[in-house]
Amino acid sequence: MPTVLITGGGTGLGKELALLYAKNQYNVVITGRDTTKLAAAKEELLHFTENVHSVKMDVKNLASIKQAISEVISKTPIDVLVNNAGVGYFGPFSDLSEHDINEMIDTNVKGTIFTCQELIPHLLTRPEATIMNIISTAGLRGKVNESVYVASKFAMRGFTESLQKEYEGSSLHISGAYMGGMSTPFWDETDHIKDRSRLKDPAIVAEEIYNRQQELEIVIES
Ligand SMILES: NC(=O)c1ccc[n+]([C@@H]2O[C@H](COP(=O)([O-])OP(=O)(O)OC[C@H]3O[C@@H](n4cnc5c(N)ncnc54)[C@H](OP(=O)(O)O)[C@@H]3O)[C@@H](O)[C@H]2O)c1
């Protein structure tokens, strides 16, 4: 049975992807900072498989990444890594605080880079392995009041495209997913999106990503 590790797997798109992998006979490892959210997601996942583990891992903290990944791979090999953990702070560029900027760069960019660096040597030992980077249409074009979020997602795109070239011909397949707005807790702390009823159901987006995971670039416009 293959194993998938999903960062930010306790809520939103990450949880929906976890549910799909569970329904498709994967061992599922969900990670995140908030153990209450992880425990609630694990309860849902247990309806579909008993092979579910939740592990605390803060992608802004390299020591936490190293600790969590070594704990997981000491118990089970990992075949699929989904870099889904992400944060967004929106509004006029001049209003973004140092905190907001650091949070987005440290989580979205450096979190993805360090998680990949920690896990790729292991993934290369597997007969077939996949990295799925959850980016956004914010990684495809600039948007008003999203400057640094967009910058972080362009960085993820550049990183993903470069890894695709570097590992071409190896057993490691790398995808980038570029989706429009989804109705998830991502928007709970901001009024940047005025009408959330127009956002996509993350379960539908998760299904499209899962079905197209062999593609290098998965673009899902709103
Ligand atoms: N919602 C949208 O409209 C939309 C559109 C395009 C792309 N995206 C991208 O989709 C991804 C998932 O977002 P979502 O919409 O599903 O929102 P979400 O429900 O807020 O999920 C984000 C997840 O990231 C985790 N996370 C945040 N900081 C973390 C950290 N330092 N370490 C570990 N985990 C961390 C959170 O868990 P903890 O709080 O437990 O750590 C949470 O489970 C993000 O990368 C986002 O940029 C979202």
Side-chain angles (χ1 to χ4, degrees):
M1 220 186 232
T3 299
V4 60
L5 183 146
I6 303 175
T7 69
T11 60
L13 179 65
K15 187 185 77 179
E16 296 302 336
L17 283 166
L19 284 163
L20 265 184
Y21 279 101
K23 289 174 192 169
N24 283 279
Q25 280 79 52
Y26 279 73
N27 297 319
V28 177
V29 181
I30 50 173
T31 70
R33 295 163 303 174
D34 184 329
T35 51
T36 308
K37 288 191 234 166
L38 288 174
K42 186 174 171 181
E43 278 301 306
E44 274 189 61
L45 287 159
L46 284 169
H47 290 115
F48 301 99
T49 175
E50 60 188 22
N51 300 310
V52 187
H53 302 278
S54 64
V55 178
K56 192 170 178 178
M57 172 169 128
D58 181 349
V59 300
K60 285 187 302 178
N61 180 330
L62 182 55
S64 170
I65 295 173
K66 283 179 181 287
Q67 156 73 31
I69 286 179
S70 77
E71 181 188 326
V72 175
I73 61 180
S74 71
K75 292 181 191 137
T76 175
I78 298 169
D79 303 282
V80 180
L81 164 65
V82 181
N83 285 303
N84 165 80
V87 293
Y89 294 87
F90 305 101
F93 172 57
S94 55
D95 291 353
L96 290 175
S97 67
E98 184 183 353
H99 164 272
D100 301 343
I101 294 167
N102 284 333
E103 282 288 308
M104 287 186 277
I105 302 300
D106 289 349
T107 309
N108 305 353
V109 185
K110 289 165 70 180
T112 301
I113 291 171
F114 283 126
T115 305
C116 283
Q117 201 172 41
E118 204 52 36
L119 209 44
I120 282 177
H122 171 79
L123 291 173
L124 288 171
T125 67
R126 305 298 295 152
E128 277 186 3
T130 298
I131 294 177
M132 171 66 65
N133 287 339
I134 301 301
I135 309 179
S136 167
T137 52
L140 299 175
R141 54 184 173 270
K143 304 185 189 206
V144 175
N145 289 338
E146 299 196 18
S147 54
V148 177
Y149 180 69
V150 164
S152 76
K153 294 295 185 175
F154 265 63
M156 282 183 74
R157 178 181 172 198
F159 176 62
T160 303
E161 288 183 6
S162 299
L163 288 190
Q164 285 169 343
K165 293 183 195 301
E166 194 162 329
Y167 291 99
E168 196 176 4
S170 78
S171 56
L172 179 58
H173 169 75
I174 300 164
S175 292
Y178 303 87
M179 66 291 295
M182 298 175 289
S183 181
T184 69
F186 189 80
W187 302 111
D188 285 354
E189 309 294 326
T190 172
D191 60 2
H192 181 57
I193 298 279
K194 302 285 178 253
D195 181 5
R196 284 175 64 167
S197 69
R198 299 168 65 120
L199 298 174
K200 277 200 168 175
D201 179 345
I204 291 172
V205 176
E207 201 161 333
E208 187 159 353
I209 293 170
Y210 183 86
N211 291 335
R212 295 173 60 190
Q213 61 187 297
Q214 284 317 311
E215 297 177 27
L216 292 175
E217 194 173 85
I218 303 164
V219 178
I220 308 170
E221 294 285 354
S222 316

